[in-house]
Structures are given as C-alpha cells and as structure tokens.
Amino acid sequence: MGAADAVPGVSGGTIAFITGIYEELINTIKQFGPSALGAWRRGGLRGLYVHLNLAFLMPLLAGVAISLFSVAHLALWLMEAHPLLLQGFFFGLVAASGLVVGQAGERWKLAYLLPLTLGLLLAQLLPGMMPLVLMIGNEAMVVVVAGAIAISAMLLPGVSGSFLLLTMGLYGTIMGAIRSFDLGIIILFGMGCLLGLALSSRLLSWLLKRYHGATLQLLLGFIVGSLPVLWPWRELLRYQLGSEGQMIPLAYRYLLPSDYAVLTGESAQVAGVVSLMVFGALLVVLLNRRAVTHSSRSMTPSH
C-alpha cells in the first residue's frame, strides 16, 4: 500500500481491496474516536488494543511506513527512469482489480448503474477540481486540506491520493518533505490526514453497511475511471504551472503504441509494457485468490 500510494495514478485502497483487507481497514480506522475512550475505561490497555484492532493495524502501518521510506523511493526512481514499464504494470494491476471488485458484490442490478456512473464521473472530475485547493491562500491550511483530500482518496480503490496531490501542485512538496524529514510540513500534512481519515472512514463504513452492493459499484466506477491516468502511451495536451513552477497535468490524449513512437521518436517498449500489464493482472488474481481462500478458512467453524 505504501509503494502504491507513492506513485501518482495508483491507490493504496486498490491494494487493500485485492488483498481482502479493505472492509476491515475501513472499520478499524472508524474505531478511532470517542468510543475508544469508553473501551479504555472498561478494559484498560487490553480493551483499547482489541477495540482499535491494533493486531491488524500495527503491522499494516509498519509496512506502509517502511515502504514510504524505502520501496517508494524505488517506485519514484522507476517512474522517472522507466515510466512506460511502471505504468504498464500498474495499469494491469488496477484493471484486474476492477474485475475483483465487480465480482465481490451481489448480482448486478439496474439500480447499480447510478453509483457506477457516479464513480466514473468523480474519477474524471476530481483531478480537474484539485487546483482550486490552492485558492485557499493560507499555505498551512492548503497543506492540511491537501492531506485530508489525499488520505481520503487513498482509501478509495482507483483514486490516487498522489495523483490528486500532483494536480494540486503539491506532490513534489510533500514527497520532498518526507525525504528531508521536514517536520513542519509533515505535521501539517499529518493533521489533515487524521481529519480525512476520521471523516472518510466513517462515511465509507456507513455506506458499506447500509448499501454494500451499490457502494462496491461506486468503487468499481472509481477504478475504471482511473484507468486512463495509467495508460502508458499518451500525450500531454494541457497543463498549468504551480506556485513552485512545477507542471500540473490537466488533459491528455491517449495514443496507440505506434502513434506514441512516431510522436516522441522513442521506443513504445510494447513487449515490456504488455508483459508487465499481464504480470500485474496475474499478481492481482493470485493475491485475491489467496485472500478469498484465507477468508473462507477463517469462517469455517472448528470442531
């Protein structure tokens, strides 16, 4: 999840979903709040440990943290050195995860067309709306709001918090702060993340409990709508410059590999990209099969 969240266009929520931990993650995050104080009063530290599901959350957060400071650096280097190959891998991974989400719900109904369409539209519209965050003016508040939006997006399969940061013009600032351990920016961003987690986890948990099938279709819409962002062969049509002179992409033209090679004069690396697309898709299938097998075993009563 940490490596995925570091790469613009990919969501850690997608990784959580295909590994079978998504709903447990959402419901665990929701437990952080006033109810935790009651659990602590009733059961002490042990009661708090159980209430917050720390046996699940602590190793997950440790993995994310380690990845952000290690594997994420490799992912960022690959994004600069071999962007087509990396995007091909994640395109295959996210496309296959859409199939996983599509199969996870109940039998498809015509009523699901509305949440599916809503997810598709939001996935397309959100990046274009992100530069509006910069109009807040106050730099500290911008970082807090950016943190709340990015972490909320990271909980949604298919919606990349890193990509939204990129469209805000803040991706380089936040990743640079993490690399250089700039405590001022990290604390402000962290405050926004806590606020975003508190709000979005409660909303998602409520939706999954009340409207499980429709919510899965909404998430499927987010995933399918995010696929164009990961298409390797594309041409940047429109962009704007951020406050620090960084390029913020606004619109792309999606190309066939042959057209990309003619336009750029570079190799489209078709064999490598397609191979990694297939590898990413197979990885999702294997991870999901393992998650389903583990889930069915854990639900089997012991005698």
PDB file of all heavy atoms in Angstrom, residues 143-153 189 191-193 195-197 200:
ATOM      1  N   VAL A 143      -1.896  22.870   2.987  1.00  0.00           N
ATOM      2  CA  VAL A 143      -1.257  21.575   3.259  1.00  0.00           C
ATOM      3  C   VAL A 143      -2.189  20.679   4.068  1.00  0.00           C
ATOM      4  O   VAL A 143      -2.295  19.472   3.818  1.00  0.00           O
ATOM      5  CB  VAL A 143       0.091  21.770   3.989  1.00  0.00           C
ATOM      6  CG1 VAL A 143       0.680  20.422   4.409  1.00  0.00           C
ATOM      7  CG2 VAL A 143       1.078  22.514   3.102  1.00  0.00           C
ATOM      8  N   VAL A 144      -2.904  21.260   5.045  1.00  0.00           N
ATOM      9  CA  VAL A 144      -3.847  20.480   5.866  1.00  0.00           C
ATOM     10  C   VAL A 144      -4.978  19.930   5.000  1.00  0.00           C
ATOM     11  O   VAL A 144      -5.315  18.736   5.065  1.00  0.00           O
ATOM     12  CB  VAL A 144      -4.419  21.348   7.008  1.00  0.00           C
ATOM     13  CG1 VAL A 144      -5.551  20.609   7.721  1.00  0.00           C
ATOM     14  CG2 VAL A 144      -3.317  21.698   8.006  1.00  0.00           C
ATOM     15  N   VAL A 145      -5.573  20.795   4.175  1.00  0.00           N
ATOM     16  CA  VAL A 145      -6.677  20.365   3.294  1.00  0.00           C
ATOM     17  C   VAL A 145      -6.174  19.324   2.292  1.00  0.00           C
ATOM     18  O   VAL A 145      -6.864  18.337   2.013  1.00  0.00           O
ATOM     19  CB  VAL A 145      -7.287  21.584   2.560  1.00  0.00           C
ATOM     20  CG1 VAL A 145      -8.286  21.134   1.501  1.00  0.00           C
ATOM     21  CG2 VAL A 145      -7.964  22.515   3.560  1.00  0.00           C
ATOM     22  N   ALA A 146      -4.970  19.534   1.763  1.00  0.00           N
ATOM     23  CA  ALA A 146      -4.392  18.577   0.817  1.00  0.00           C
ATOM     24  C   ALA A 146      -4.217  17.213   1.476  1.00  0.00           C
ATOM     25  O   ALA A 146      -4.482  16.172   0.857  1.00  0.00           O
ATOM     26  CB  ALA A 146      -3.047  19.086   0.301  1.00  0.00           C
ATOM     27  N   GLY A 147      -3.792  17.201   2.738  1.00  0.00           N
ATOM     28  CA  GLY A 147      -3.637  15.947   3.465  1.00  0.00           C
ATOM     29  C   GLY A 147      -4.963  15.234   3.649  1.00  0.00           C
ATOM     30  O   GLY A 147      -5.054  14.012   3.470  1.00  0.00           O
ATOM     31  N   ALA A 148      -6.018  16.002   3.986  1.00  0.00           N
ATOM     32  CA  ALA A 148      -7.344  15.408   4.183  1.00  0.00           C
ATOM     33  C   ALA A 148      -7.871  14.804   2.884  1.00  0.00           C
ATOM     34  O   ALA A 148      -8.423  13.702   2.872  1.00  0.00           O
ATOM     35  CB  ALA A 148      -8.315  16.462   4.709  1.00  0.00           C
ATOM     36  N   ILE A 149      -7.688  15.515   1.772  1.00  0.00           N
ATOM     37  CA  ILE A 149      -8.174  15.022   0.474  1.00  0.00           C
ATOM     38  C   ILE A 149      -7.361  13.819   0.022  1.00  0.00           C
ATOM     39  O   ILE A 149      -7.919  12.803  -0.429  1.00  0.00           O
ATOM     40  CB  ILE A 149      -8.097  16.140  -0.587  1.00  0.00           C
ATOM     41  CG1 ILE A 149      -9.098  17.245  -0.253  1.00  0.00           C
ATOM     42  CG2 ILE A 149      -8.357  15.576  -1.986  1.00  0.00           C
ATOM     43  CD1 ILE A 149      -8.986  18.472  -1.138  1.00  0.00           C
ATOM     44  N   ALA A 150      -6.030  13.898   0.148  1.00  0.00           N
ATOM     45  CA  ALA A 150      -5.161  12.820  -0.336  1.00  0.00           C
ATOM     46  C   ALA A 150      -5.404  11.523   0.424  1.00  0.00           C
ATOM     47  O   ALA A 150      -5.498  10.451  -0.180  1.00  0.00           O
ATOM     48  CB  ALA A 150      -3.699  13.235  -0.221  1.00  0.00           C
ATOM     49  N   ILE A 151      -5.528  11.597   1.744  1.00  0.00           N
ATOM     50  CA  ILE A 151      -5.715  10.362   2.522  1.00  0.00           C
ATOM     51  C   ILE A 151      -7.104   9.780   2.271  1.00  0.00           C
ATOM     52  O   ILE A 151      -7.272   8.553   2.252  1.00  0.00           O
ATOM     53  CB  ILE A 151      -5.503  10.613   4.039  1.00  0.00           C
ATOM     54  CG1 ILE A 151      -5.209   9.301   4.762  1.00  0.00           C
ATOM     55  CG2 ILE A 151      -6.682  11.326   4.663  1.00  0.00           C
ATOM     56  CD1 ILE A 151      -3.877   8.697   4.435  1.00  0.00           C
ATOM     57  N   SER A 152      -8.104  10.633   2.068  1.00  0.00           N
ATOM     58  CA  SER A 152      -9.442  10.145   1.745  1.00  0.00           C
ATOM     59  C   SER A 152      -9.420   9.420   0.404  1.00  0.00           C
ATOM     60  O   SER A 152     -10.048   8.368   0.238  1.00  0.00           O
ATOM     61  CB  SER A 152     -10.442  11.301   1.692  1.00  0.00           C
ATOM     62  OG  SER A 152     -10.532  11.943   2.961  1.00  0.00           O
ATOM     63  N   ALA A 153      -8.682   9.979  -0.561  1.00  0.00           N
ATOM     64  CA  ALA A 153      -8.560   9.341  -1.869  1.00  0.00           C
ATOM     65  C   ALA A 153      -7.814   8.014  -1.771  1.00  0.00           C
ATOM     66  O   ALA A 153      -8.143   7.052  -2.466  1.00  0.00           O
ATOM     67  CB  ALA A 153      -7.840  10.277  -2.841  1.00  0.00           C
ATOM     68  N   PHE A 189       0.577  18.192   7.245  1.00  0.00           N
ATOM     69  CA  PHE A 189       0.002  17.179   6.350  1.00  0.00           C
ATOM     70  C   PHE A 189      -0.618  16.043   7.167  1.00  0.00           C
ATOM     71  O   PHE A 189      -1.702  15.549   6.842  1.00  0.00           O
ATOM     72  CB  PHE A 189       1.094  16.640   5.426  1.00  0.00           C
ATOM     73  CG  PHE A 189       0.581  15.762   4.316  1.00  0.00           C
ATOM     74  CD1 PHE A 189      -0.094  16.310   3.245  1.00  0.00           C
ATOM     75  CD2 PHE A 189       0.783  14.390   4.350  1.00  0.00           C
ATOM     76  CE1 PHE A 189      -0.577  15.514   2.211  1.00  0.00           C
ATOM     77  CE2 PHE A 189       0.308  13.580   3.318  1.00  0.00           C
ATOM     78  CZ  PHE A 189      -0.367  14.136   2.248  1.00  0.00           C
ATOM     79  N   MET A 191      -1.887  16.268  10.208  1.00  0.00           N
ATOM     80  CA  MET A 191      -3.140  16.748  10.805  1.00  0.00           C
ATOM     81  C   MET A 191      -4.284  16.619   9.802  1.00  0.00           C
ATOM     82  O   MET A 191      -5.397  16.197  10.143  1.00  0.00           O
ATOM     83  CB  MET A 191      -2.982  18.204  11.249  1.00  0.00           C
ATOM     84  CG  MET A 191      -2.096  18.396  12.468  1.00  0.00           C
ATOM     85  SD  MET A 191      -1.679  20.147  12.745  1.00  0.00           S
ATOM     86  CE  MET A 191      -3.310  20.870  12.930  1.00  0.00           C
ATOM     87  N   GLY A 192      -4.007  16.985   8.546  1.00  0.00           N
ATOM     88  CA  GLY A 192      -5.020  16.847   7.500  1.00  0.00           C
ATOM     89  C   GLY A 192      -5.388  15.389   7.272  1.00  0.00           C
ATOM     90  O   GLY A 192      -6.565  15.058   7.086  1.00  0.00           O
ATOM     91  N   CYS A 193      -4.384  14.515   7.307  1.00  0.00           N
ATOM     92  CA  CYS A 193      -4.633  13.079   7.125  1.00  0.00           C
ATOM     93  C   CYS A 193      -5.529  12.532   8.220  1.00  0.00           C
ATOM     94  O   CYS A 193      -6.450  11.744   7.955  1.00  0.00           O
ATOM     95  CB  CYS A 193      -3.308  12.313   7.104  1.00  0.00           C
ATOM     96  SG  CYS A 193      -2.340  12.554   5.597  1.00  0.00           S
ATOM     97  N   LEU A 195      -7.734  14.171  10.007  1.00  0.00           N
ATOM     98  CA  LEU A 195      -9.083  14.697   9.780  1.00  0.00           C
ATOM     99  C   LEU A 195      -9.773  13.935   8.648  1.00  0.00           C
ATOM    100  O   LEU A 195     -10.932  13.526   8.767  1.00  0.00           O
ATOM    101  CB  LEU A 195      -9.003  16.192   9.438  1.00  0.00           C
ATOM    102  CG  LEU A 195     -10.322  16.885   9.101  1.00  0.00           C
ATOM    103  CD1 LEU A 195     -11.264  16.868  10.292  1.00  0.00           C
ATOM    104  CD2 LEU A 195     -10.069  18.323   8.643  1.00  0.00           C
ATOM    105  N   GLY A 196      -9.046  13.715   7.551  1.00  0.00           N
ATOM    106  CA  GLY A 196      -9.611  12.996   6.410  1.00  0.00           C
ATOM    107  C   GLY A 196      -9.968  11.567   6.752  1.00  0.00           C
ATOM    108  O   GLY A 196     -11.020  11.059   6.346  1.00  0.00           O
ATOM    109  N   LEU A 197      -9.094  10.895   7.518  1.00  0.00           N
ATOM    110  CA  LEU A 197      -9.361   9.512   7.925  1.00  0.00           C
ATOM    111  C   LEU A 197     -10.611   9.425   8.789  1.00  0.00           C
ATOM    112  O   LEU A 197     -11.444   8.524   8.615  1.00  0.00           O
ATOM    113  CB  LEU A 197      -8.169   8.941   8.694  1.00  0.00           C
ATOM    114  CG  LEU A 197      -6.961   8.487   7.884  1.00  0.00           C
ATOM    115  CD1 LEU A 197      -5.821   8.089   8.807  1.00  0.00           C
ATOM    116  CD2 LEU A 197      -7.328   7.324   6.971  1.00  0.00           C
ATOM    117  N   SER A 200     -13.751  10.246   6.293  1.00  0.00           N
ATOM    118  CA  SER A 200     -13.985   9.341   5.164  1.00  0.00           C
ATOM    119  C   SER A 200     -14.205   7.904   5.618  1.00  0.00           C
ATOM    120  O   SER A 200     -15.017   7.179   5.028  1.00  0.00           O
ATOM    121  CB  SER A 200     -12.821   9.412   4.177  1.00  0.00           C
ATOM    122  OG  SER A 200     -11.602   9.072   4.803  1.00  0.00           O
TER     123      SER A 200
END
